[in-house]
Amino acid sequence: MDTKVFQLDEIEQAAALLKQGELVSFPTETVYGLGANAQNEAAVKKVYLAKGRPSDNPLIVHVSSIEEVNAYVEEIPEAAQTLMEKFWPGPLTLIFKLKPGAFADTVTAGLDSVAIRMPDNQATLALIKAAGMPLVGPSANTSGKPSPTTAQHVYHDLQGKIAGILDGGETGVGLESTVLDTTNPEAPVILRPGALTKEALEAVIGTVYVDRHLVSEEEKPKAPGMKYKHYAPDEPVIIVDGSSESWQAAIAHYQDQGEKIGLLVNETRARQFKGQVAEVFSLGKEGSVAEAAKALYAGLRFFEKTDVTLILAEAYQRDGIGDAYMNRLEKAAGHHYFND
Ligand code: TXA
Ligand code: MG
């Protein structure tokens, strides 16, 4: 199959493919999604196949209005209604009790709940409207790999396996949406951290809990997708959290073992160590975790095109989007830190 790349003035053509049950990747404010008709079983099955995604990992349904959610869920808790009005369109996925039959069975992988979000991207909202159906939208990467933040990343992973890609340029946030379970109205729980932080949610609806798995390694995560090895490039990733001296020690340690090192670091450190290692990729201004979040997946993908054998990656403060950045980086690194 030829994968057609559509420009932003070709939304009708992209929508026509979706109506035929084909897969079309779309841009969002977080990462690119892999779109298919959420009410067409055959189309949704193709999504799992194209990504190589385990069938017990449910998909997020992408909608173009708040009103339509009523048709898909058993109830909308008050907190969820407030959050939709405040933060949609935006990087917030809400889990609701599923109205049986609202979507193709495989969308929810047998769960009685469903994840829904309204992405903050004009072209994609227009695409959903033009298609006239809610779209599933897992990140448009091969399962286990870093999520795509450009149309080129999607093309690299899925060319020949999907009908089209709507090219909306580089995504803004760079990390996937915050997933919040609202099925227990007494205790909303964050299942996956994202750009919308616990504090931002609490300012609107009061106390929000965090899935224990995100805090402790031992617990089984409630978002099925969080248990898989994820966001990982081909080379091992090791996190370095410390001063120039720790970086110097880490570089020396792994070079002694014969590793060809790639550094995924802020621009100050990139300049400092450029001559000493095989490759460097800058995550942006020192201390700017928003820039780092936006660049992380492109950085992890960059090293796949090089001959480095090991990636040393920069830790950031866990505030703001830093929490999501560290969550994804720790998964990419299998929680492996350098200890000097
Ligand atoms: O930003 C995003 O959310 C992107 C863009 C494309 O919208 N999409 C995305 O989808 O990240 P995906 O499929 O890569 O991640 C969906 C996550 C998985 O961890 C999945 O297990 C969880 O949401 N999830 C989906 N339905 C769920 C449910 N009913 N209960 C709990 N977790 C659910
Ligand atoms: Mg994903």
Side-chain angles (χ1 to χ4, degrees):
M1 170 191 303
D2 263 359
T3 300
K4 173 122 179 51
V5 178
F6 295 104
Q7 300 309 313
L8 293 182
D9 59 359
E10 298 175 301
I11 285 172
E12 287 299 332
Q13 291 92 314
L17 290 174
L18 289 165
K19 286 186 211 165
Q20 292 159 24
E22 298 295 339
L23 312 188
V24 177
S25 174
F26 55 75
T28 81
E29 79 281 34
T30 60
V31 301
Y32 275 74
L34 181 52
N37 181 352
Q39 295 169 326
N40 175 335
E41 187 67 48
V44 176
K45 284 209 169 105
K46 281 196 251 177
V47 169
Y48 284 91
L49 209 63
K51 281 180 59 76
R53 180 174 176 117
S55 58
D56 66 345
N57 189 5
L59 308 176
I60 298 174
V61 176
H62 291 63
V63 298
S64 59
S65 72
I66 295 177
E67 294 69 39
E68 70 189 282
V69 173
N70 261 310
Y72 309 141
V73 308
E74 289 281 44
E75 61 177 317
I76 300 181
E78 203 184 311
Q81 183 69 34
T82 309
L83 291 173
M84 288 191 288
E85 280 162 19
K86 173 90 182 163
F87 294 116
W88 282 12
L92 175 66
T93 295
L94 297 171
I95 312 278
F96 297 93
K97 288 187 183 133
L98 171 70
K99 188 175 279 183
F103 301 113
D105 286 345
T106 37
V107 170
T108 52
L111 297 177
D112 53 12
S113 60
V114 62
I116 302 183
R117 97 174 188 96
M118 181 173 168
D120 188 10
N121 181 292
Q122 286 312 315
T124 291
L125 291 175
L127 177 71
I128 300 170
K129 286 205 174 88
M133 60 186 65
L135 301 178
V136 293
S139 49
N141 50 291
T142 299
S143 204
K145 292 290 159 195
S147 296
T149 54
T150 65
Q152 288 72 29
H153 293 162
V154 179
Y155 194 82
H156 175 271
D157 280 17
L158 300 176
Q159 64 175 122
K161 297 180 175 173
I162 65 176
I165 304 170
L166 179 59
D167 188 350
E170 194 188 353
T171 59
V173 175
L175 301 177
E176 303 82 351
S177 60
T178 304
V179 177
L180 183 76
D181 187 348
T182 64
T183 54
N184 175 359
E186 310 294 299
V189 187
I190 292 176
L191 305 184
R192 179 176 73 181
L196 260 174
T197 60
K198 180 171 186 282
E199 291 69 32
L201 297 171
E202 285 185 328
V204 180
I205 58 164
T207 306
V208 168
Y209 299 84
V210 176
D211 183 24
R212 283 193 301 273
H213 174 78
L214 295 174
V215 184
S216 140
E217 274 278 87
E218 277 77 60
E219 301 287 337
K220 191 169 172 294
K222 261 199 89 186
M226 297 301 279
K227 73 176 181 242
Y228 295 104
K229 180 175 153 73
H230 236 116
Y231 317 116
D234 292 337
E235 306 77 23
V237 178
I238 294 166
I239 304 171
V240 183
D241 187 359
S243 59
S244 289
E245 289 72 42
S246 343
W247 277 93
Q248 200 71 65
I251 292 168
H253 176 80
Y254 292 108
Q255 276 175 345
D256 283 351
Q257 298 183 359
E259 302 283 5
K260 283 188 91 129
I261 297 174
L263 293 187
L264 187 58
V265 292
N266 72 55
E267 83 190 4
T268 311
R269 240 189 269 291
R271 241 181 277 117
Q272 183 184 357
F273 292 116
K274 200 172 170 58
Q276 292 186 43
V277 295
E279 300 281 353
V280 299
F281 186 96
S282 168
L283 290 169
K285 266 199 301 298
E286 184 175 0
S288 171
V289 69
E291 286 185 26
K294 192 170 165 142
L296 176 65
Y297 291 147
L300 290 170
R301 282 174 177 267
F302 164 79
F303 293 110
E304 301 206 328
K305 290 180 290 197
T306 70
D307 60 355
V308 309
T309 58
L310 182 87
I311 299 167
L312 295 179
E314 181 105 36
Y316 279 76
Q317 296 283 338
R318 283 175 205 261
D319 40 58
I321 198 173
D323 197 23
Y325 171 90
M326 289 307 293
N327 170 267
R328 307 308 193 277
L329 183 60
E330 286 187 335
K331 280 179 179 290
H335 293 266
H336 196 154
Y337 278 80
F338 175 72
N339 296 307
D340 55 345

